[in-house]
Every structure is written in structure tokens, then in C-alpha cells.
Amino acid sequence: MTSSNTPPSPLSLSAPAPLAGEVRVPGDKSISHRAIMLSALAVGRSEVRGLLEGEDVLATAAAMRAMGAQVERLGQGHWVVDGVGVGGLLQPDAQLDMGNSGTSTRLLMGLVSSHPITATFVGDASLSRRPMGRVIEPLSRIGAEITASPDGRLPLMLRGADTPLPIHYRLPVASAQVKSAILLAGLNIGAETVVEEPVPTRDHSERMLKGFGAELSVEPMADGGKRIAVRGWAELKPQTLEVPGDPSSAGFLLVAALIVPGSNITIHGVGLNPTRDGLVRVLQEMGADITKLNEREVGGEPVADLLVTHSALTGIEVPPEVAPSMIDEYPILFVAAALASGRTVMRGIEELRVKESDRIAAMAAGLRAAGVAVEELPDGLIVEGSGGEKVAGGCTVATHLDHRIAMSFAVLSLAAKTAITVDDRAPIATSFPDFLPLMQRLGAVQA
């Protein structure tokens, strides 16, 4: 994990020439977390290739080791996991350090909640500010006893239920993490656990649970949502998995190529699950030249190579209903909007205020400092674009320990008259440790 005592390492990039080349982004973060967890709950050895080796996923791997699974790295992105079986998690000897990973925390809370063990979850300063109430509430209904810090934050101690109870839970807000936490808890409950989601969210958990052999059903509801049910006391079977490229990481390279004149790049093997491809669809609506090549399926997920060419973007009003399919990509969409012609309006994204940072406020402040006109809304942001002209830049932006803020402004610096400096590159390692090497391979240089 990145130490809080490590001095900050600023970063600024420039593009002296068009970006060009072919690259592959690291494995999908959401899928990587779930691959480790479900492999640890199978009986036998699973093999995972293409695993993202960012700090967030390493936190998940360390936690599963602490609860009895054997998790071993064989090579770059190549891991094997010897699972303990559903119901076989062991009492960890020490606190589970989640670093900066909200996904690790919420999903592992779900796992522990239906096992008769106790775990204490801790995290870094950023994670410790993030509320866990939305997952504490349903897991308490299952029978878990949870003692959290004020406002439902870390550190927190969770004592799993000796006799966990099945629940039928309707999500009050769209959240793939809360949905997944409940489904993972349901694996060790001797009945059917049901989650209703009013707005469909990323479905990696459902796909992977089925792949590992869980009895799971997904049915549409009359209101447009989904009813997901999992049968407990599951016997998960070990798998050989390949993790597709992370669409969230690809988003930074996509936008970089779109805003640097003359650029033409290919990003290989990008996961394009329809619950995750919102950024590509929105950018294309803004006029982005993005072509899908070699469309195929990898590990049960749709994948394609993306050919991206510099484009003149036009501001649009982004439909709020697209938010669940791209909630993590809004910071880099704000950057694309800053270079578009006209106004881009983005609403219905209040979820961004409780991410690693308040991403709406942090991005608004940084964009203003870089000379971009923005209007901050309670649930979104309005960005007045430059029409393709370079933004002023010449500022230092606070990342607030948020990897997506750091990468977004590093990309914006490529289209600035004077370089934009990110106050600390260290948070980038949580999700995309190869970000800087890949950007340099495409032609970006450290300013």
C-alpha cells in the first residue's frame, strides 16, 4: 500500500506530437476483485490470467490469504488460487487492511457477514472517509453484528452471523457493490437470497457466480429493474479465467487520443460489458471516432479492440440513466467536455460525491484552475468547452488521494497551453500502475 509518510510525487504530462501506437490496458479491476474472491470460495485450484495487479486488487488477495485461501502469483497477471470452499473462511489473525479500495471493503464485508468469524476492516485516510452505511444496513438484516466508526465509516469490526438469515432486499440506490455484497453473503445462507435493483448496474458478479457454478437467476421486473436470486450453500467449482482489459483504465487513453490533434491509437482487448460501456457510447454521441475491431468474448465478457482517432467533440446533455454504466468514468468525461464545442450537461451523478473523493467538487476546482468554465450542481456538473482550443493550464491540482482525479488531470495537461501539475501521482497505483509507461509509449512526455 502507498504509505501516508511517502512525500508526494507531482506529475505533469505534455504531448509534443500526436499520440500513436498500440497498447493493452491492464485487467478489469471489478472482475479482478471478484476473480480472487470467488476462486477463494471454490474447492480446488483456479487459475487467473490478466489479473490487475494494482494496490486495490492486491488488498483483496491479501485479505483472502488472511482468511485461509492460498493465493499465489506465478507471473505478470498470472495467479493461482487454492480455495477453501463456501463456509470455509477462517478467522483472520490481524486487521484486514483495505488500503484505498471501497470495492474490496464492501464485497468482503458481504462475504464475512454469513461466516461465523470476526474481521476488523481498516483503510487509508481516503477510504476511511467513505460511508459504509449502505452495505451495513442489509448485512445487519442477515444477522451480522457491525461496529463502525461514526457515520458508518472505517475502521469497523464485523462479526459474521452464526445462523445467517436470507433476505429479500430492494436497493434504495443503484449500487453494484451493495448488490454484490448481498449476493456473496447469500452463498453461505441455507435458502434463497434476493436482491432487486431498480436500475441495472454492472453485472460482473452475476456472470462470474454462474460461471463458478452457483445457482443464480436474473429476471426482469415490470419497473425496468432486475430481480437477482442466489441459492445458498453453494458448491463453487474452480475455474480458469482470463480477465478482459479494464474499460475504466482505457477511458483515460481514449480521451487522450481524442483531444490531442492528429492522434491515432489502438487499445487492445477492452471489456465492453453493456453495463460498463457508457463512456464509449457517450463519447461517440459527442462525435468521437471510436471503432470496435475484432469483437469477441473473453471469460464470458464481450471484448473488442478500440481504434481511436482525434475528433472534434460537441457538447451534449448526458442522460442521467447512463450513469450506472460509467460512474467511474465521469472524471475523464469532464476532461473530454472541456475540449468540446459548447456545453456538456451531466446530472444524476451525486454518487460521485462519496467516491475516493468528492469527485464533482474536486474536478470542478481543478477545471476552474485550468481555465475551464464550469458550473457545479448538487448532482452533477456543467462544462463549457473550449471548442478544441487548448485550455490555459498552468496550475497545480489537488488529487485528494484519488487515482481517477490524478489521471484525469494528467490527460488534460496534454491539451493545455501550460502544463497542469498533479500534486501526487502515487494514488494512480491503486488501479492503473502502468498508466505513465503506457502514456509515454503513445508519445506523451513528462513536462
Side-chain angles (χ1 to χ4, degrees), residues 151-293:
D151 298 322
R153 302 175 194 273
L154 300 189
L156 68 75
M157 183 175 69
L158 190 156
R159 182 182 183 280
D162 293 325
T163 308
L165 304 173
I167 62 172
H168 188 135
Y169 190 78
R170 183 173 177 84
L171 297 176
V173 294
S175 172
Q177 291 181 0
V178 178
K179 172 181 67 176
S180 298
I182 297 168
L183 294 176
L184 290 172
L187 292 175
N188 198 39
I189 298 174
E192 187 177 70
T193 296
V194 178
V195 180
E196 292 182 0
E197 55 177 7
V199 178
T201 64
R202 59 183 64 177
D203 64 354
H204 303 306
S205 293
E206 295 95 307
R207 289 172 183 254
M208 293 188 72
L209 282 165
K210 286 182 179 178
F212 274 86
E215 289 185 50
L216 183 137
S217 64
V218 180
E219 300 173 356
M221 298 190 302
D223 63 2
K226 290 183 179 180
R227 179 189 186 274
I228 306 111
V230 64
R231 175 67 58 179
W233 292 350
E235 293 186 16
L236 302 187
K237 299 174 178 62
Q239 302 293 308
T240 298
L241 303 170
E242 183 178 347
V243 180
D246 193 319
S248 297
S249 297
F252 298 103
L253 308 185
L254 279 174
V255 172
L258 291 172
I259 66 175
V260 176
S263 295
N264 185 294
I265 70 170
T266 300
I267 311 171
H268 289 283
V270 180
L272 292 175
N273 182 305
T275 65
R276 293 284 304 282
D277 68 349
L279 178 65
V280 171
R281 288 185 277 118
V282 168
L283 289 173
Q284 288 176 323
E285 189 177 344
M286 295 173 71
D289 186 351
I290 303 172
T291 304
K292 298 177 185 177
L293 306 173

Side-chain angles (χ1 to χ4, degrees), residues 251-252 255-256 258-259 279 282-283 286 313-316 318 322-323 326-353 355 357-368 370-387 391 402 404-405 407-409 411-413 415 420:
F252 298 103
V255 172
L258 291 172
I259 66 175
L279 178 65
V282 168
L283 289 173
M286 295 173 71
L313 302 177
T314 302
I316 63 170
V318 180
V322 79
M326 58 173 292
I327 194 66
D328 288 328
E329 287 76 71
Y330 272 92
I332 195 62
L333 178 61
F334 296 161
V335 169
L339 275 297
S341 296
R343 165 181 292 199
T344 302
V345 181
M346 294 154 283
R347 298 179 185 271
I349 52 175
E350 58 271 21
E351 171 74 9
L352 292 184
R353 293 201 182 275
K355 289 288 188 176
S357 67
D358 179 340
R359 287 179 173 164
I360 294 174
M363 288 298 301
L367 288 169
R368 284 193 195 100
V372 180
V374 301
E375 179 186 348
E376 185 176 339
L377 308 170
D379 69 337
L381 200 64
I382 298 174
V383 179
E384 298 285 353
S386 68
V391 302
D402 191 324
R404 300 201 192 280
I405 302 298
M407 289 184 281
S408 295
F409 282 106
V411 169
L412 183 59
S413 184
I420 296 167

Side-chain angles (χ1 to χ4, degrees), residues 297-309:
E297 190 170 282
V298 171
E301 297 274 347
V303 167
D305 305 328
L306 299 181
L307 173 63
V308 190
T309 302

Side-chain angles (χ1 to χ4, degrees), residues 37 40-41 63-64 66-69 84-92 108 110-117 188:
M37 291 182 195
L41 293 175
M64 298 316 299
M67 291 187 285
V84 296
V86 171
L89 296 182
L90 302 178
Q91 174 79 38
L108 289 171
L111 276 185
V112 171
S113 68
S114 60
H115 286 73
I117 61 176
N188 198 39

